[in-house]
């Protein structure tokens, strides 16, 4: 509660002295354990701000709303460490300028919420490096271990079963801060690479393409997983791809705002084991 | 409505033996959108092409598919035929039913079925082809020749004599390369220096040639007709504008015992030096590694001796940026280090020398002024043993290929030796005598018959020293007996291998090389002087071992290719380039990073009042090579490749 109060005061101050034009945070949702995004422009709105351990949504996607940052004014945003990584990736992909983003960092253990030191993306590099070296224990997923132990056939059957529920609502895409394209590949129908109907092939196509488009970019914030109305464990795919990228290229997504995108950059010592 | 013509070629028996062309033609005739489907024995022949043109005109075809060999063979042929019939050449597609079908299958029914799949998928593609226009790019009419050996000089002179500008870059302080080191040249025995040095002078004085010696290529960017080349001028520490080449500094230099590279270690040079007396330009350089001043900050004797004050110890490397239209690579070879053959004792016994060292001994300008003297004690050898293939044609230790020149130069060495030491004896251990070339076999016969070279067919197994003599143990396979020859000097016919940095250098210019590091030609038989990169040509021993006549011939051939390129003001390029959809581009710049040709730029989109709306990727059509890397990277599919659009590829895949 202390953290929440402190941040309310900070946001009010920064709004009052004109440092930021808006702060993006959380407010109560429809049930006690749900939170909604809050867009704070006034001191009164700041009083609605909630910050507790249930604030888990990665809000960074709101920053790439068209026109929000084009006036070059600063915007504040409440972010967990993975959200800060998202900011770094968005900056590395030229979707925003980190100098315009004021970060209100926080993290939680159990029900305890604590603030993170720093305001600019660059202030958190030590913290992010620490997370890269020692990933938090909570990231260990029992289901992922189970899936990885399966053979190819079992794994295919598992995903076929999971994907069979997919209704192609693209909520995963809407929730993901990385899916900022003006036109998504699934919206392109000349040609229609990805079938829109929800049968096995189309479902695989969509989810595999999504996995590839996020490899080296996903920070495992879990937005897609929570957004899925049919509970497909999308996080498993993302975690697996993130591991591949770390193992193959030592690339931990979102470490800095100048990190080159792993799949677009080339180094002379990149392994080429995939070339027959 | 599509009106597609399908032309199924038998390629004699090449396709018809495994694919039922009649059945295939009938099946394709049924395919939606196909207006004509015919077969013929050779569509690439004149009547074949005429029938294609006739069909296009008579049926007003909107696209054609030639089901035949690989597009690498005849795509250009049929595109040209299309254009002649009034159809945009890019509305022609080749379905490869030879290399990818008939040649690799045995079952006729299944091969026919597969051929139908291949043709059908191309029909579906061609329905979605667009009319494309070739891209015109300007040509910079200035050639870069890399390497100042005989091949480089020939290419530079040929291009310059045709009136085009040339920049000649040589890594060493002087022009000349390996040929300048040679004594007399086979098969005419004319003095190498006598025919070489006038060429060097002519090159240096030519008004169309800009000579950059002691210089290296730093980077090459751009593409055919429009290369951007950065050259590093290594600091000579001698101001070339002031120096007259008087040589006072060389005489005064106190460091005199440096092993001379030009004399292959048989002679000595000073720290400030010219590689040889006839160097072009005849201006010295300071060898920084050996110079006393650079070691401990004292000396400057050369500076004091120079009346023109041409020596500048503060000189730094300089960079020159050049705009170049075509590049001739003539970087030459090196002699393989024969120390890898422990049994021949090279490096262990001073009187075991390489063929190139023998050249220096026999050369009038060499360390012994042309007298054949052994390096160990300076005595005239009475018995000389030559060992051929010391490195070549030896898959186990040396190189697999034949170095081509050794049979000839060994015969020449035996001759030169016989001419200089009248009662000397020569033994030549050989595997085969390869003397193919004008006057070459006559030359080796002359060595045997007139100059009494004793050829022993067999290999040498061991070489050791006994009582100041070299004992050479080998086998005479014609007699079937081991032989031991007592020799005063042994000459190894070492292999020609690529320059030590050949592979890195190939990467700098962007050309392909083989397993050894020799540069690959575009086609071994039909395009032997072009590299795999457009606008880069090859000359001399950087491509494969060559003698002087071959190097000169290839250099002239390269020059003619360069001149053909320079004969036009503009160059036509394939319009297969990436195009960006600016409406959907998210401006993530992944494509900018991914592009290997730096062809993608950031473009500002502004509204009417000039306010920046967004930035999107823009593909420079002059720089794009159509590789498609950006297309595969683009997540929103905003980038597409003309001629291979997503639509076309999708239709092609779905047609299978």
């Amino acid at each position: 509660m202390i953290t929440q109060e402190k941040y309310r005061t900070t946001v009010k101050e920064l709004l009052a002295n004109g440092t930021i034009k808006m702060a993006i945070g959380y407010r109560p949702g429809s049930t006690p354990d749900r939170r909604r995004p809050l867009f704070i422009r006034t001191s009164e709105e700041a009083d609605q701000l909630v910050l507790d351990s249930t604030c888990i949504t990665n809000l960074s996607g709101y920053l790439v709303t068209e026109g929000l940052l084009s006036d070059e004014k600063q915007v504040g945003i409440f972010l967990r460490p993975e959200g800060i990584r998202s900011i770094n990736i968005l900056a590395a992909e030229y979707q925003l300028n980190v100098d315009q983003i004021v970060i209100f960092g926080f993290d939680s253990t159990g029900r305890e919420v604590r603030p993170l030191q720093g305001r600019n993306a660059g202030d958190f590099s030590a913290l992010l490096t620490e997370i890269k070296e020692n990933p938090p224990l909570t990231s260990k997923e029992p289901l992922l271990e189970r899936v990885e132990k399966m053979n190819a056939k079992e794994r295919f059957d598992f995903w076929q079963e999971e994907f069979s529920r997919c209704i192609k609502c693209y909520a995963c895409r809407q929730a993901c801060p990385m899916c900022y394209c003006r036109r998504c590949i699934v919206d392109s129908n000349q040609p229609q690479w990805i079938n829109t109907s929800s049968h096995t092939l189309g479902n695989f196509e969509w989810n595999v393409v999504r996995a590839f488009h996020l490899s080296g970019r996903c920070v495992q914030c879990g937005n897609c997983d929570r957004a899925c109305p049919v509970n497909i464990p999308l996080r498993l795919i993302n975690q697996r791809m993130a591991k591949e990228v770390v193992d193959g290229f030592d690339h931990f997504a979102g470490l800095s705002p100048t990190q080159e995108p792993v799949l677009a950059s080339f180094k002379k010592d990149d392994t080429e084991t995939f070339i027959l | 409505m599509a009106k597609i013509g399908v032309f199924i070629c038998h390629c004699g028996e090449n396709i018809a033996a495994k694919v039922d062309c009649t059945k295939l033609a009938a099946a394709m005739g049924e395919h939606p959108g196909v207006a004509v489907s015919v077969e013929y024995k050779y569509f690439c022949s004149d009547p074949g092409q005429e029938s294609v043109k006739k069909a296009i005109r008579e049926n007003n075809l909107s696209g054609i598919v030639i089901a035949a060999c690989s597009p690498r063979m005849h795509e250009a042929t049929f595109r040209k035929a299309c254009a002649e019939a009034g159809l945009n050449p890019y509305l022609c597609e080749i379905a490869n039913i030879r290399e990818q079908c008939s040649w690799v299958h045995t079952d006729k029914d299944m091969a026919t079925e597969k051929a139908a799949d291949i043709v059908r998928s191309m029909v579906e593609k061609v329905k979605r082809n667009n009319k494309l226009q070739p891209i015109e790019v300007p040509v910079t009419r200035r050639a870069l020749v890399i390497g100042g050996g005989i091949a480089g000089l020939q290419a530079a002179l040929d291009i310059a004599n045709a009136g085009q500008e040339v920049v000649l870059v040589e890594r060493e302080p002087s022009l000349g390369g390996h040929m300048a080191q040679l004594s007399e040249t086979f098969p005419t025995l004319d003095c190498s220096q006598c025919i070489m040095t006038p060429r060097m002078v002519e090159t240096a004085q030519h008004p169309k040639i800009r000579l950059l010696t002691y210089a290296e290529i730093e980077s090459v960017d751009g593409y055919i007709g429009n290369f951007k080349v950065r050259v590093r001028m290594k600091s000579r520490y001698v101001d070339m504008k002031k120096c007259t080449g008087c040589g006072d500094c060389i005489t005064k230099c106190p460091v005199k015992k440096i092993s001379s590279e030009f004399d292959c270690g048989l002679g000595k040079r000073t720290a400030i030096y010219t590689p040889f007396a006839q160097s072009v330009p005849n201006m010295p350089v300071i060898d920084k590694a050996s110079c006393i001043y650079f070691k401990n900050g004292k000396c400057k004797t050369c500076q004091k001796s120079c009346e023109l004050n041409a020596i500048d110890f503060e000189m730094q490397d300089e960079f020159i940026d050049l705009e170049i239209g075509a590049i001739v690579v003539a970087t030459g070879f090196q002699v393989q280090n024969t120390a890898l053959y422990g049994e021949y004792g090279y490096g262990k016994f001073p009187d075991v020398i390489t063929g190139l060292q023998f050249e220096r001994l026999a050369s009038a300008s060499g360390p012994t002024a042309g007298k054949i003297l052994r390096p160990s004690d300076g005595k005239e050898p009475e018995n000389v043993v030559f060992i051929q293939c010391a490195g070549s044609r030896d898959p186990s230790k040396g190189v697999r290929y034949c170095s081509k020149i050794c049979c000839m130069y060994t015969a020449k060495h035996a001759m030169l030796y016989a001419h200089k030491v009248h009662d000397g004896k020569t033994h030549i251990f050989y595997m085969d005598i390869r003397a193919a070339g004008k006057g070459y076999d006559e030359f080796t016969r002359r060595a045997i018959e007139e100059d009494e070279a004793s050829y022993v067919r067999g290999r040498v197994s061991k070489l050791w020293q006994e009582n100041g003599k070299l004992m050479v143990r080998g086998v005479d396979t014609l007699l079937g007996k081991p032989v031991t020859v007592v020799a005063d000097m042994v000459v190894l016919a070492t292999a020609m291998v690529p320059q030590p940095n050949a592979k890195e250098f190939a990467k700098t210019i962007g050309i392909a090389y083989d397993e050894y590091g020799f540069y690959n030609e575009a086609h071994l038989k039909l395009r032997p002087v072009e590299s795999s990169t457009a606008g880069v040509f090859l000359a001399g021993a950087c491509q494969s071992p060559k003698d002087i006549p071959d190097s000169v011939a290839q250099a002239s051939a390269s020059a003619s290719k360069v001149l053909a390129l320079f004969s036009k003001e503009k160059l036509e390029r394939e319009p297969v380039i990436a195009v960006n959809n600016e409406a959907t581009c998210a401006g993530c710049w992944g494509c900018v990073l991914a592009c290997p040709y730096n062809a993608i730029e950031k473009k500002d989109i502004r509204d009417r009042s000039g306010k920046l709306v967004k930035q999107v990727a823009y593909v420079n059509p002059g720089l794009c090579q159509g590789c498609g890397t950006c297309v595969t990277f683009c997540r929103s599919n905003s980038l597409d490749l003309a001629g291979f659009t997503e639509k076309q590829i999708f239709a092609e895949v779905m047609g299978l």
Side-chain angles (χ1 to χ4, degrees):
Chain A
M1 288 313 257
I2 305 164
T3 309
Q4 176 182 302
E5 289 315 315
K6 271 188 182 164
Y7 268 136
R8 275 186 188 176
T9 321
T10 314
V11 168
K12 282 177 189 172
E13 275 170 20
L14 292 178
L15 278 171
N17 66 22
T19 310
I20 56 173
K21 66 166 179 175
M22 185 210 274
I24 305 172
Y26 305 88
R27 68 185 174 97
S30 46
T31 59
D33 57 349
R34 285 190 172 197
R35 295 289 173 251
R36 280 184 186 172
L38 172 67
F39 302 91
I40 311 163
R41 292 179 192 80
T42 62
S43 178
E44 296 75 55
E45 283 172 334
D47 288 329
Q48 296 176 40
L49 178 77
V50 173
L51 198 64
D52 59 23
S53 60
T54 62
C55 297
I56 42 180
T57 303
N58 179 355
L59 301 174
S60 57
Y62 292 107
L63 291 173
V64 290
T65 309
E66 210 155 329
L68 177 67
L69 298 171
S70 56
D71 57 5
E72 296 182 1
K73 287 182 180 155
Q74 294 194 327
V75 171
I77 185 165
F78 284 83
L79 295 172
R80 286 175 178 267
E82 55 272 19
I84 299 169
R85 288 170 63 195
S86 297
I87 297 288
N88 281 338
I89 300 171
L90 290 170
E93 294 179 4
Y94 301 90
Q95 300 305 310
L96 52 77
N97 176 359
V98 275
D99 297 337
Q100 268 180 277
I101 312 300
V102 176
I103 295 171
F104 306 116
F106 69 99
D107 203 352
S108 61
T109 353
R111 297 188 64 81
E112 187 72 26
V113 176
R114 61 174 192 284
L116 299 176
Q117 290 301 314
R119 279 287 178 270
N120 302 312
D123 301 341
F124 302 93
S125 60
L127 171 78
L128 298 182
T129 311
E130 170 64 21
I131 294 173
K132 181 196 173 190
E133 303 300 331
N134 306 302
L137 287 171
T138 47
S139 69
K140 288 253 163 73
E141 172 76 55
L143 187 55
L144 181 64
E145 280 172 27
R146 214 188 89 204
V147 173
E148 292 203 328
K149 280 192 190 121
M150 294 176 182
N151 63 31
K153 165 92 176 55
E154 290 166 341
R155 204 156 51 232
F156 187 84
D157 290 345
F158 171 82
W159 283 114
Q160 188 164 22
E161 175 66 27
E162 293 294 331
F163 291 152
S164 69
R165 297 197 301 278
C166 178
I167 52 169
K168 294 277 180 68
C169 67
Y170 304 130
C172 45
R173 179 186 81 185
Q174 295 312 111
C176 179
M178 288 302 122
C179 284
Y180 54 73
C181 284
R182 284 171 174 82
R183 181 194 66 183
C184 176
I185 181 170
V186 288
D187 300 330
S188 158
N189 59 3
Q190 293 280 338
Q192 187 93 54
W193 281 114
I194 297 166
N195 213 303
T196 46
S197 61
S198 59
H199 57 58
T200 311
L201 181 65
N203 289 344
F204 262 96
E205 281 170 349
W206 162 241
N207 284 291
V208 170
V209 165
R210 209 183 77 85
F212 273 108
H213 281 192
L214 287 173
S215 49
R217 307 168 71 228
C218 173
V219 296
Q220 292 135 72
C221 65
N223 273 12
C224 53
D225 198 272
R226 287 187 295 274
C228 183
V230 292
N231 296 325
I232 300 172
L234 295 169
R235 60 185 182 284
L236 302 189
I237 304 174
N238 298 337
Q239 280 175 16
R240 176 58 199 242
M241 292 310 282
K243 186 175 173 293
E244 290 287 329
V245 176
V246 170
D247 292 350
F249 305 100
D250 190 30
H251 181 99
F252 184 72
L255 209 49
S256 89
T258 51
Q259 191 181 31
E260 284 189 349
V262 68
L263 294 187
S265 54
F266 168 79
K267 292 190 207 80
K268 279 192 174 158
D269 55 351
D270 277 347
T271 51
E272 291 177 349
T273 46
F274 55 90
I275 297 174
L276 295 175
Chain B
M1 181 62 198
K3 277 181 154 183
I4 308 298
V6 176
F7 302 90
I8 294 152
C9 182
H10 293 193
C11 195
E13 281 292 293
N14 274 307
I15 292 169
K18 287 288 170 284
V19 172
D20 185 338
C21 294
T22 314
K23 203 170 144 193
L24 181 61
M28 286 306 117
E30 301 289 309
H31 191 78
V34 175
V36 182
S37 178
V38 288
E39 54 175 322
Y40 185 65
K41 218 169 184 63
Y42 293 106
F43 270 115
C44 59
S45 68
D46 196 42
Q49 289 190 46
E50 279 308 315
S51 73
V52 174
K53 287 190 228 169
K54 195 162 164 250
I56 294 173
R57 284 194 206 100
E58 286 180 358
N59 299 283
N60 199 16
L61 295 179
S62 64
I64 64 164
V65 173
I66 309 283
C69 50
S70 159
R72 275 191 78 104
M73 290 292 295
H74 280 305
E75 188 172 57
T77 312
F78 290 109
R79 278 186 175 168
K80 196 163 151 267
C82 262
E84 282 163 8
L87 188 67
N88 184 290
Y90 295 92
L91 299 176
C92 163
E93 288 289 343
I94 308 288
N96 182 356
I97 58 167
R98 193 179 77 173
E99 284 85 343
Q100 291 177 357
C101 188
S102 68
W103 275 3
V104 288
H105 295 299
T106 47
D107 185 306
K108 194 164 181 176
D109 288 337
M110 285 169 79
T112 306
E113 214 171 292
K114 179 174 168 183
D117 277 345
I118 295 171
V119 179
R120 201 180 305 116
S121 100
M122 291 322 288
V123 169
E124 286 306 311
K125 183 188 177 198
V126 84
K127 282 181 186 172
R128 288 154 184 87
N129 275 21
N130 298 313
K131 291 177 186 174
L132 302 177
Q133 303 302 331
I135 297 168
E136 285 194 333
V137 283
V139 178
T140 310
R141 285 168 168 168
R142 185 180 300 115
L144 170 71
V145 176
I146 308 170
I150 185 60
L153 293 184
Q154 183 69 36
L157 284 170
D158 283 354
I159 298 167
N161 285 337
Q164 303 293 353
E165 278 182 54
V166 179
V167 181
L168 177 60
V169 173
E170 166 58 49
R171 182 171 62 175
E172 300 298 327
S174 168
L175 294 175
H178 279 107
M179 187 173 159
Q181 289 175 281
L182 307 183
S183 51
E184 286 161 16
T185 53
F186 62 79
T188 44
L189 293 189
D190 37 5
C191 157
S192 183
Q193 290 252 338
C194 311
I195 54 176
M196 183 75 179
T197 41
R199 284 282 165 101
M200 288 156 56
V201 175
E202 192 188 343
T203 307
Q205 292 175 348
H206 203 293
K208 288 279 183 187
I209 299 179
R210 181 174 177 193
L211 183 59
L212 304 174
T213 53
Y214 211 47
E216 298 208 37
I217 303 297
E218 192 75 6
S219 65
V220 176
D221 291 314
Y223 53 96
I224 180 170
N226 297 274
F227 292 106
K228 297 213 178 343
V229 180
R230 172 164 269 223
V231 180
R232 174 194 288 270
M233 299 298 295
K234 296 184 280 188
S235 40
R236 297 178 91 100
Y237 303 107
V238 173
D239 187 336
M240 291 181 78
K241 289 199 189 84
K242 292 183 189 161
C243 176
T244 57
C246 70
D248 283 353
C249 52
I250 301 174
T251 350
K252 296 276 161 57
C253 179
V255 195
K256 294 192 193 295
K257 295 257 167 93
I258 306 160
S259 163
S260 159
E261 296 84 0
F262 187 79
D263 283 334
C264 303
L266 296 174
K268 302 278 180 246
R269 65 163 171 84
T270 45
I272 183 163
Y273 72 108
T274 53
F276 53 105
Q278 297 74 25
S279 289
V280 173
N282 189 22
M283 291 171 200
V285 296
I286 295 181
D287 170 7
K288 202 175 168 183
S290 314
C291 173
I292 298 179
Y293 173 75
F294 283 109
K295 275 185 192 158
N296 54 28
K298 281 179 211 149
C299 183
K300 292 195 175 181
T301 311
C302 49
Q303 201 175 41
K304 285 165 210 153
S305 72
C306 182
E307 286 175 12
L308 297 150
N309 202 16
I311 291 165
D312 174 9
F313 288 100
E314 305 302 315
M315 200 179 263
Q316 298 292 321
D317 288 6
E318 279 175 32
F319 293 95
I320 297 179
D321 289 307
L322 301 167
E323 307 255 319
I324 295 292
I327 301 175
V328 176
V329 181
T331 48
F333 68 100
Q334 64 167 334
V335 170
Q336 192 183 32
N337 181 0
T338 320
L340 73 107
Y341 287 96
E343 62 267 38
Y344 295 159
Y346 182 78
K348 195 161 75 177
F349 308 127
D351 294 332
V352 179
I353 61 171
T354 66
L356 195 58
Q357 285 177 316
F358 189 89
E359 294 286 348
R360 292 313 300 149
L361 289 182
S363 169
S365 68
T368 55
K371 290 205 178 80
I372 310 280
L373 303 173
R374 19 190 252 174
S376 62
D377 52 10
K379 281 189 194 150
E380 196 164 72
E382 287 162 17
N383 278 294
V384 180
V385 167
F386 293 89
I387 303 175
Q388 287 196 193
C389 295
S392 307
R393 303 176 66 198
D394 181 358
S396 59
K397 258 177 142 176
V399 290
R400 284 210 309 275
Y401 55 83
C402 165
S403 288
K404 203 177 173 186
I405 59 167
C406 326
C407 287
M408 292 305 296
Y409 77 61
T410 302
K412 179 189 78 180
H413 289 171
M415 251 184 221
L416 294 179
Y417 174 66
H419 296 173
K420 294 190 183 204
V421 183
H422 294 296
D423 42 6
K425 292 262 178 302
T426 49
H427 288 83
I428 301 173
F429 283 91
Y430 72 105
M431 286 160 73
D432 300 289
I433 299 176
R434 298 186 161 179
K438 190 169 180 176
Y440 283 14
D441 202 53
E442 297 92 312
F443 185 80
T444 51
R445 296 307 309 169
R446 215 172 101 201
I448 297 167
E449 288 158 12
E450 289 177 24
D451 293 314
E452 293 172 359
S454 162
Y455 274 78
V456 184
R457 190 177 191 283
R459 302 283 284 162
V460 170
S461 59
K462 204 180 165 191
L463 200 152
W464 70 97
Q465 223 168 7
E466 217 173 274
N467 305 327
K469 297 274 185 185
L470 290 164
M471 309 299 284
V472 184
R473 165 73 62 86
V475 63
D476 185 333
T477 54
L478 298 180
L479 292 176
K481 276 184 186 166
V483 286
T484 306
V485 182
V486 182
D488 299 311
M489 191 161 87
V490 173
V491 183
L492 304 175
T494 43
M496 279 171 105
V497 293
Q499 291 278 11
N501 60 345
K503 290 181 182 177
E504 289 72 43
F505 190 66
K507 286 176 193 160
T508 307
I509 9 183
I511 56 174
Y513 50 85
D514 67 13
E515 58 188 297
Y516 308 106
F518 286 119
Y519 299 147
N520 277 352
E521 56 294 311
H523 190 287
L524 194 59
K525 284 161 273 181
L526 301 179
R527 294 171 69 197
V529 304
E530 288 133 297
S531 77
S532 49
T533 303
V536 181
F537 306 96
L538 307 173
C542 63
Q543 184 215 9
S544 67
K546 280 193 186 64
D547 56 17
I548 296 165
D550 282 3
S551 294
V552 171
Q554 199 191 11
S556 288
S558 279
S560 83
K561 290 280 172 192
V562 171
L563 293 169
L565 179 65
F566 288 178
S567 67
K568 291 177 227 141
E569 265 182 26
K570 295 211 166 181
L571 199 69
E572 278 199 352
R573 278 201 37 227
E574 283 266 295
V576 177
I577 55 161
V579 183
N580 188 27
N581 180 347
E582 292 174 355
T584 57
C585 174
C588 74
W589 312 130
C591 52
V592 175
L593 269 177
C595 178
Y597 304 100
N598 295 332
I600 306 182
E601 302 154 14
K602 295 175 186 178
K603 177 180 168 184
D604 294 343
I605 303 281
R606 295 180 184 277
D607 63 12
R608 273 186 231 177
S609 57
K611 198 176 149 236
L612 184 70
V613 178
K614 63 169 183 174
Q615 278 192 312
V616 293
Y618 170 72
V619 182
N620 182 328
L623 293 173
C624 177
Q625 300 292 306
C627 71
T629 308
C630 58
V631 178
T632 54
F633 179 79
C634 183
R635 281 185 289 268
S636 62
N637 275 19
S638 297
L639 284 154
D640 213 349
L641 192 62
F644 294 90
T645 59
E646 299 261 336
K647 256 197 229 180
Q648 287 171 294
I649 302 290
F650 189 79
E652 206 178 319
V653 174
M654 289 299 148
L656 279 177

